[in-house]
Amino acid sequence: MTDFQIRYGAEVAEALRAGRPVVALESTIVSHGLPRPDNLRVAREIEAAVRADGAVPATIGMVEGVLVVGLDDAQLTRLASSDGVAKLSVRDLALAAATGADGATTVAATSAVAAAAGIRVFATGGLGGVHREAAQTFDESADLTTLSRTPIAVVCAGVKSILDVGATLERLETLGVAVAGYRSRRFPGFFVTDGGFDLDWSVDSPEQVAAVLAARAAHGVQPGALIVANPLPTAEQLDPALHDRTLADGLARLAAEGVTGKAVTPFLLAHFHSATEGASLAVNVRIILRNAALAAQIAVAAATR
Ligand code: PSU
Ligand code: MN
C-alpha cells in the first residue's frame, strides 16, 4: 500500500520536535503567482528572510504525489520551473496524492497542512477572496472557508484589489475569521497601503500577536484563523494611479478573453507584472519578504511565551 503520510524536511521535523519556531510558506505564489525565473530566486529569498529573523522556513507543496512540509531546494526548483504543476486547494490534495501529481499549495491548502503539522504561523503575500463578479459566478476563494476552520496566524498584505475587497471582509466576518491590522486600523490593498476599509482591531508587536494566539488556544472557542494584515509603508507601495490603470485594463482583458475560475488570479497577476514592466513584481517581492520577517518574529514570540 502506498504511504500517503505527510513528509517533513529534516530541519523542519527537528524544529517541530524541539518546539523551535517554524513558519509555513505556500508554493502557489512560487509556481503560479510570480513569473519565471524570478520566482525561484524569490522563493529562496523568502526562506532566507524567515531564517534571518530566527525561525525555520517550511515551504509546503507536493512532489509526485508526496505532500512535503519543508521542500528541499531540488523540490522547490522543480515546482518553480516545470509546467505541469497543479494549483492545489484543500479539496485537491488527496486527488493529487493518489494520482502522483506535482502541485503547489494555495493559502487554503498550505494553512490546512501547516496546522495539521502543528505549525502556528504562515506568511504569504495576499489571500484569495471574493471575486468582483461573485454575485453571478459564485467565485469565492476556498481560502476563506478553509481559514474559518484552521487554527493558524496568517501574515499577509490583505487581498489584491483585483478582488471585491469589501465583500471579502464581509465574508471573513461571517465565517468567523479574525482580522487585525499590524500597527494599522486600515485593511491593506496588497500593492497599495490602504485597501479602502477600516478594521476593528490592530496589533502592535509580535509579542501581542503571540498573546492573541495563546488566548485563542486557551479559550478553545474559536476554530478559525487570525489574519495579521501587514500594510506596506506608503513610500514602498505601487504608485496608486498606475495601480488603478493597470487594474482597469486587466479586468477588461479578463472579460474579453473569457478567463474564469481558478485561472483568474494567475491571469491578473501576470497582467500586473507585464503591464507595470516589473514595478508590481518588485512591490510584490517586498511585501512577501516583509511578511516573512514579521511571521518569523511572531513564531519566535509564540515559541518563547
Ligand atoms: N493572491 C495573490 N497572489 C497569489 C494568490 C493570491 O496576491 O499568488 C494565490 C494564493 O495561493 C491563494 C490563491 O491562496 O492564489 C487563491 O486562488 P483562488 O482565488 O483560485 O482560490
Ligand atoms: Mn476561484
Side-chain angles (χ1 to χ4, degrees):
M1 204 179 77
T2 316
D3 174 13
F4 290 126
Q5 300 300 307
I6 294 174
R7 303 271 175 85
Y8 292 85
E11 192 187 4
V12 172
E14 178 51 34
L16 287 172
R17 245 194 316 273
R20 283 201 294 274
V22 176
V23 171
L25 301 167
E26 62 157 310
S27 43
T28 292
I29 51 174
V30 178
S31 54
H32 298 84
L34 295 168
R36 294 181 209 161
D38 304 272
N39 60 345
L40 180 58
R41 172 183 56 83
V42 174
R44 290 174 175 149
E45 285 176 14
I46 302 168
E47 295 197 343
V50 169
R51 286 185 202 287
D53 273 284
V56 172
T59 306
I60 294 177
M62 187 173 283
V63 179
E64 291 185 300
V66 178
L67 187 51
V68 181
V69 175
L71 294 165
D72 65 25
D73 199 67
Q75 294 167 328
L76 200 59
T77 303
R78 180 178 167 122
L79 295 187
S81 321
S82 56
D83 285 328
V85 179
K87 177 177 161 184
L88 305 180
S89 193
V90 175
R91 69 171 187 161
D92 305 305
L93 290 171
L95 283 157
T99 57
D102 280 356
T105 50
T106 62
V107 168
T110 306
S111 9
V113 173
I119 299 173
R120 289 177 289 178
V121 188
F122 166 28
T124 186
L127 303 179
V130 179
H131 283 266
R132 287 166 176 257
E133 307 297 319
Q136 282 82 45
T137 62
F138 281 74
D139 189 355
E140 171 183 329
S141 177
D143 290 356
L144 302 185
T145 43
T146 300
L147 291 173
S148 76
R149 56 173 185 261
T150 305
I152 196 159
V154 184
V155 181
C156 66
V159 299
K160 286 207 175 75
S161 49
I162 61 178
L163 301 173
D164 184 333
V165 180
T168 301
L169 283 168
E170 292 294 347
R171 288 292 289 151
L172 287 168
E173 180 184 359
T174 304
L175 291 164
V177 180
V179 184
Y182 191 70
R183 298 180 179 163
S184 170
R185 292 232 177 180
R186 296 284 284 174
F187 191 61
F190 195 83
F191 291 127
V192 290
T193 302
D194 187 339
F197 292 85
D198 286 326
L199 293 172
D200 291 335
W201 298 96
S202 71
V203 284
D204 295 335
S205 65
E207 292 72 26
Q208 198 171 44
V209 179
V212 177
L213 294 179
R216 187 198 159 288
H219 296 167
V221 175
Q222 177 194 349
L226 167 67
I227 293 172
V228 179
N230 186 27
L232 267 183
T234 46
E236 294 183 31
Q237 69 182 336
L238 189 65
D239 169 35
L242 175 61
H243 168 269
D244 294 351
R245 267 198 320 276
T246 308
L247 177 61
D249 291 349
L251 293 173
R253 277 187 62 201
L254 199 65
E257 297 178 30
V259 178
T260 56
K262 72 184 196 178
V264 166
T265 303
F267 178 91
L268 286 172
L269 297 180
H271 169 76
F272 259 86
H273 293 146
S274 62
T276 65
E277 290 166 356
S280 74
L281 177 60
V283 174
N284 202 334
V285 172
R286 275 203 298 279
I287 287 169
I288 303 172
L289 295 179
R290 291 177 85 255
N291 292 347
L294 178 56
Q297 293 159 22
I298 293 167
V300 168
T304 50
R305 258 184 81 81

